[in-house]
Amino acid sequence: MRREVDSGHVGRHVTGHVGKSDALWLHLQRRCFARRLRQRAPREGPPVPPSGCAGCRRPTCVSAAARVSACASACLRVSAAARPPLTLPAKAPAVTSLTRSVARITSPPAGPYSTQDCHAYLIGTGPDRILIDTGTGHTDFIDTLVLHLRAQNAKLSTVLLTHSHGNHASGLIRIFQRYNHTTFTVSKVKSPGSDKAGLDKIKFIKDGDIVSTLDGSVRLRTVHTPGHAADHACFWLDSDGILFSGDAILSRPPLPGTPLQPPSAHAIFESLPDYLASLTKLERLVPSLIFPAHGDIVVATLDSLQQARLAQLRLSQSIVDIIACHPARVVST
């Protein structure tokens, strides 16, 4: 089989052999663009003459390939000029009431390294609220927070950070810009060697510390859970049996191509021994509900904790197996 391709502007022809796959491709392309041209043709009026294209009015192209490349591109420009621009509604942070004392603010991804929604939680029923995490840095997060607090006739008294990763702490800058930082407290577990900036604005807490609202109606216990990050902490609302797990436990579908990762496991950690020890600490709490930073509420809490442990053990064993199969490639340091 042979084909001729019109080079268009310079009037040359290139001739060569093509196989069955190329012939099929040309056939499908011709049918696809012919259908598009029929859809763009006016409903009233004469049909498109075989000697030219209704959109670009060019004479019949020498070959199917040239008709696809020359006529279709011109038709797309003509129809695009006639169509109004397509505008998609921007996804904004959303507030969801979870319990009588807990509301969730979901921030869409923001920035080049933010790929998924991230939850922040407002806890309290009285005149003030505790905020756990500050979102991805989405520009509308602070407005959503302010409007919700105003509707509840409450003020922000404490900000707790589960850890200092950007998709959990980036909203803190806008909170400082909106509020006087002397009116609320920012607390987190100290990270060795990485919490040097803004020490005057951060109160460091440790495992077992209690953080409460001004009226004492809500009391959160700090549970230091290193593994995902050295400064990672969960917060335990003992009165309701709710664990705010940050990134220690997630509830999202497994990633494509990773069948060993169950929905509640987190495969990213700085220290596997620390992470496994943190899972043991969380199991001892026996939470009724887990409110994670990503994904849905976890109801089967102990099962999710066990799945997370098994996933990490299988991952570590797969690494050992790979090293055992290729011992010559392992370089010790």
Side-chain angles (χ1 to χ4, degrees), residues 16-250:
H17 292 275
V18 295
K20 291 183 179 181
S21 60
D22 292 322
L24 178 61
W25 180 85
L26 287 176
H27 174 71
L28 294 176
Q29 290 292 322
R30 182 167 51 204
R31 292 187 58 183
C32 178
F33 279 94
R35 183 169 63 252
R36 291 185 181 180
L37 295 181
R38 287 196 300 271
Q39 292 173 351
R40 293 190 178 93
R43 295 186 178 182
E44 297 181 359
V48 178
S51 60
C53 176
C56 61
R57 305 300 179 186
R58 291 172 62 91
T60 302
C61 301
V62 176
S63 64
R67 185 158 57 250
V68 167
S69 60
C71 297
S73 60
C75 290
L76 289 174
R77 289 194 298 269
V78 172
S79 61
R83 293 195 306 266
L86 178 63
T87 56
L88 298 176
K91 188 178 180 182
V95 181
T96 305
S97 179
L98 301 180
T99 69
R100 186 180 68 89
S101 59
V102 180
R104 181 179 66 192
I105 304 178
T106 302
S107 296
Y113 303 107
S114 179
T115 59
Q116 56 185 324
D117 294 348
C118 190
H119 303 316
Y121 294 93
L122 277 170
I123 303 101
T125 57
D128 66 298
R129 297 289 185 273
I130 298 173
L131 176 66
I132 298 180
D133 283 341
T134 61
T136 60
H138 193 283
T139 55
D140 293 334
F141 176 85
I142 183 62
D143 293 331
T144 303
L145 173 65
V146 170
L147 290 175
H148 180 76
L149 290 174
R150 189 177 301 167
Q152 298 292 316
N153 194 25
K155 66 177 183 178
L156 184 65
S157 60
T158 304
V159 175
L160 297 175
L161 296 179
T162 58
H163 58 301
S164 55
H165 288 174
N167 59 338
H168 297 259
S170 293
L172 190 59
I173 296 177
R174 297 184 185 276
I175 294 177
F176 279 137
Q177 292 173 346
R178 180 64 64 93
Y179 293 106
N180 185 343
H181 74 273
T182 61
T183 62
F184 65 95
T185 304
V186 180
S187 299
K188 68 180 293 293
V189 171
K190 184 173 177 57
S191 178
S194 63
D195 282 323
K196 298 179 181 179
L199 291 178
D200 57 327
K201 300 179 181 179
I202 296 178
K203 175 185 176 181
F204 293 111
I205 53 179
K206 60 184 183 299
D207 186 67
D209 284 354
I210 301 297
V211 180
S212 62
T213 54
L214 297 178
D215 61 357
S217 59
V218 170
R219 291 168 56 86
L220 291 168
R221 177 154 63 90
T222 305
V223 184
H224 185 204
T225 51
H228 173 69
D231 62 343
H232 192 282
C234 299
F235 296 98
W236 172 239
L237 183 59
D238 187 38
S239 60
D240 295 349
I242 297 175
L243 176 68
F244 299 92
S245 64
D247 278 356
I249 293 293
L250 305 185

